[in-house]
Amino acid sequence: MRIFLILLFLTLSTTTVIGQFGDPYRRAKVVLKSGEQLNGEGKFKNKGYKFKENEMAKPETIAYEDIDYLSITDGNLDKRVYRFYQFNGRKKYLKLELVIPGEKLELYVYQYNINSSGAGGISFGQTVTKFYLKKPEDDKPVYMGLYEPVANQLKVRVLEYFQDCPSLIEKVENKDFRMRDGLWQIVEYYNETCGH
């Protein structure tokens, strides 16, 4: 039992350290606001995107304010597109993943992990997803919130945001679209049915 506890502690400690310091370089295409495209590999840092053309190259940090978007290829060869925005007058840029592109509406998410301790000191992780929507007339994505079963502000914000699409509002009120399922269906419906 004692050996099991020691191994469990070492595993959790190693996982925590990897989570903090082990963000690996990933294949990436960086498109700058100047129109220049850079291909290589990089990783996210607080002060900018750390980028290098290949394994042997010296990395440079590209300021988030200079990046239009970047496309990252993960280990499963899935591509993820990110854009960077400042909110509420803060200097720090938020990394938003574009999960549904569209001419009428785009869906962005901001995801992060939190670790909680349960009974007996056992910790478990949870991914939190915050939703952002952007229509062409919005200068930046609009924060919708996250799904919370008790105080669900997400539904209130969604109903306010989609005043231009009565049929979508009806589907939300009739629970054809539920907030606990996220906003994917809502955004797809809007792009297919609503808008100008």
Side-chain angles (χ1 to χ4, degrees):
M1 180 66 175
R2 186 174 181 183
I3 292 173
F4 172 76
L5 290 174
I6 291 170
L7 288 173
L8 179 64
F9 174 75
L10 289 173
T11 302
L12 291 174
S13 298
T14 304
T15 304
T16 302
V17 169
I18 289 171
Q20 290 175 348
F21 304 106
D23 187 22
Y25 280 90
R26 291 189 170 89
R27 297 291 312 153
K29 176 174 84 170
V30 181
V31 178
L32 302 176
K33 289 180 179 173
S34 66
E36 183 182 0
Q37 292 186 21
L38 306 170
N39 290 298
E41 52 187 42
K43 58 183 175 178
F44 299 103
K45 292 292 189 181
N46 286 337
K47 295 188 178 183
Y49 189 67
K50 196 169 184 180
F51 178 82
K52 56 186 180 178
E53 289 185 8
N54 55 57
E55 279 185 30
M56 306 307 291
K58 183 179 178 183
E60 62 177 287
T61 300
I62 304 170
Y64 290 127
E65 66 190 32
D66 296 330
I67 298 174
D68 181 23
Y69 71 91
L70 65 87
S71 174
I72 293 178
T73 305
D74 66 18
N76 298 327
L77 300 179
D78 292 326
K79 289 195 177 182
R80 297 174 179 266
V81 174
Y82 295 92
R83 287 201 161 100
F84 306 92
Y85 296 95
Q86 291 173 302
F87 294 97
N88 304 322
R90 295 183 178 170
K91 288 183 179 180
K92 185 177 179 182
Y93 280 81
L94 204 59
K95 170 186 75 174
L96 299 184
E97 181 182 354
L98 175 62
V99 290
I100 299 182
E103 290 183 17
K104 300 177 189 175
L105 183 67
E106 294 177 329
L107 173 62
Y108 291 85
V109 296
Y110 174 65
Q111 292 185 318
Y112 57 93
N113 295 317
I114 56 172
N115 291 318
S116 304
S117 295
I122 297 173
S123 65
F124 56 93
Q126 177 183 358
T127 300
V128 176
T129 302
K130 294 184 176 182
F131 297 99
Y132 291 78
L133 298 174
K134 184 177 183 302
K135 293 177 183 173
E137 62 268 22
D138 299 327
D139 62 335
K140 62 177 71 172
V142 176
Y143 177 65
M144 290 289 117
L146 64 155
Y147 173 69
E148 297 173 291
V150 179
N152 191 1
Q153 291 298 307
L154 182 59
K155 183 175 181 179
V156 173
R157 290 185 181 119
V158 164
L159 290 172
E160 287 174 7
Y161 190 77
F162 289 109
Q163 289 298 309
D164 62 336
C165 187
S167 64
L168 192 152
I169 288 175
E170 186 178 330
K171 285 185 170 293
V172 171
E173 288 176 339
N174 291 339
K175 299 184 180 176
D176 294 331
F177 295 140
R178 294 179 177 268
M179 298 303 110
R180 68 178 179 218
D181 298 328
L183 302 185
W184 289 269
Q185 283 183 306
I186 290 173
V187 172
E188 287 171 353
Y189 180 86
Y190 186 90
N191 279 328
E192 290 170 9
T193 311
C194 310
H196 319 318

Coordinates of all heavy atoms in Angstrom, one line a residue, residues 8-23 115 123:
L8 N 1.7 6.7 -6.8 CA 0.7 7.7 -7.1 C 1.1 9.1 -7.0 O 0.9 9.9 -7.9 CB -0.6 7.4 -6.2 CG -1.8 8.3 -6.5 CD1 -2.3 8.1 -7.9 CD2 -2.8 8.1 -5.4
F9 N 1.8 9.4 -5.9 CA 2.3 10.8 -5.7 C 3.3 11.2 -6.8 O 3.3 12.3 -7.3 CB 3.0 10.8 -4.3 CG 3.7 12.2 -4.0 CD1 2.9 13.3 -3.8 CD2 5.1 12.3 -4.1 CE1 3.5 14.5 -3.6 CE2 5.7 13.5 -3.9 CZ 4.9 14.6 -3.6
L10 N 4.2 10.3 -7.1 CA 5.2 10.6 -8.2 C 4.5 10.8 -9.5 O 4.9 11.7 -10.3 CB 6.3 9.4 -8.3 CG 7.3 9.3 -7.1 CD1 8.1 8.1 -7.3 CD2 8.1 10.6 -7.1
T11 N 3.5 10.0 -9.8 CA 2.8 10.1 -11.1 C 2.1 11.5 -11.1 O 2.2 12.2 -12.1 CB 1.8 9.0 -11.2 OG1 2.5 7.8 -11.2 CG2 1.0 9.1 -12.6
L12 N 1.4 11.8 -10.1 CA 0.7 13.1 -10.0 C 1.7 14.3 -10.1 O 1.4 15.3 -10.8 CB -0.2 13.2 -8.8 CG -1.4 12.3 -8.7 CD1 -2.1 12.4 -7.4 CD2 -2.3 12.6 -9.9
S13 N 2.8 14.2 -9.4 CA 3.8 15.2 -9.4 C 4.4 15.4 -10.8 O 4.5 16.5 -11.3 CB 4.9 14.9 -8.4 OG 4.4 14.9 -7.1
T14 N 4.7 14.3 -11.5 CA 5.2 14.3 -12.8 C 4.2 14.9 -13.8 O 4.6 15.8 -14.6 CB 5.6 12.9 -13.3 OG1 6.5 12.4 -12.3 CG2 6.3 12.9 -14.6
T15 N 3.0 14.5 -13.7 CA 1.9 15.1 -14.5 C 1.8 16.6 -14.3 O 1.6 17.3 -15.3 CB 0.6 14.4 -14.2 OG1 0.7 13.0 -14.4 CG2 -0.5 14.9 -15.2
T16 N 1.8 17.0 -13.1 CA 1.7 18.5 -12.8 C 2.9 19.2 -13.4 O 2.7 20.2 -14.1 CB 1.7 18.7 -11.3 OG1 0.6 18.0 -10.8 CG2 1.6 20.2 -11.0
V17 N 4.1 18.7 -13.3 CA 5.3 19.3 -13.9 C 5.2 19.4 -15.4 O 5.5 20.4 -16.0 CB 6.6 18.6 -13.4 CG1 7.8 19.1 -14.2 CG2 6.8 18.8 -11.9
I18 N 4.8 18.3 -16.0 CA 4.7 18.2 -17.5 C 3.6 19.2 -17.9 O 3.8 19.9 -18.9 CB 4.3 16.8 -17.9 CG1 5.6 15.9 -17.8 CG2 3.9 16.8 -19.4 CD1 5.3 14.4 -18.0
G19 N 2.5 19.3 -17.2 CA 1.5 20.3 -17.5 C 2.0 21.7 -17.5 O 1.6 22.5 -18.2
Q20 N 2.9 22.0 -16.5 CA 3.4 23.4 -16.4 C 4.5 23.7 -17.4 O 4.6 24.8 -17.9 CB 3.9 23.6 -15.0 CG 2.8 23.6 -13.9 CD 3.4 23.7 -12.5 OE1 4.6 23.5 -12.3 NE2 2.5 23.9 -11.5
F21 N 5.4 22.7 -17.6 CA 6.6 23.0 -18.3 C 6.8 22.2 -19.6 O 7.7 22.5 -20.4 CB 7.8 22.8 -17.5 CG 7.8 23.6 -16.2 CD1 7.5 23.0 -15.0 CD2 8.0 25.0 -16.2 CE1 7.5 23.8 -13.8 CE2 7.9 25.8 -15.1 CZ 7.7 25.1 -13.9
G22 N 5.9 21.3 -19.9 CA 6.1 20.3 -20.9 C 5.4 20.6 -22.2 O 5.2 19.7 -23.0
D23 N 5.0 21.8 -22.5 CA 4.3 22.2 -23.7 C 5.2 22.0 -24.9 O 6.2 22.7 -25.0 CB 3.7 23.6 -23.6 CG 2.8 23.9 -24.8 OD1 2.3 23.0 -25.4 OD2 2.7 25.1 -25.1
N115 N -7.7 21.6 -11.9 CA -7.6 20.5 -11.0 C -8.3 20.7 -9.7 O -8.1 21.8 -9.1 CB -6.1 20.2 -10.8 CG -5.4 19.7 -12.1 OD1 -6.0 18.9 -12.8 ND2 -4.2 20.2 -12.3
S123 N -7.0 13.9 -6.6 CA -7.3 15.0 -7.5 C -7.8 14.6 -8.8 O -7.5 13.5 -9.3 CB -6.0 15.9 -7.6 OG -5.0 15.2 -8.3

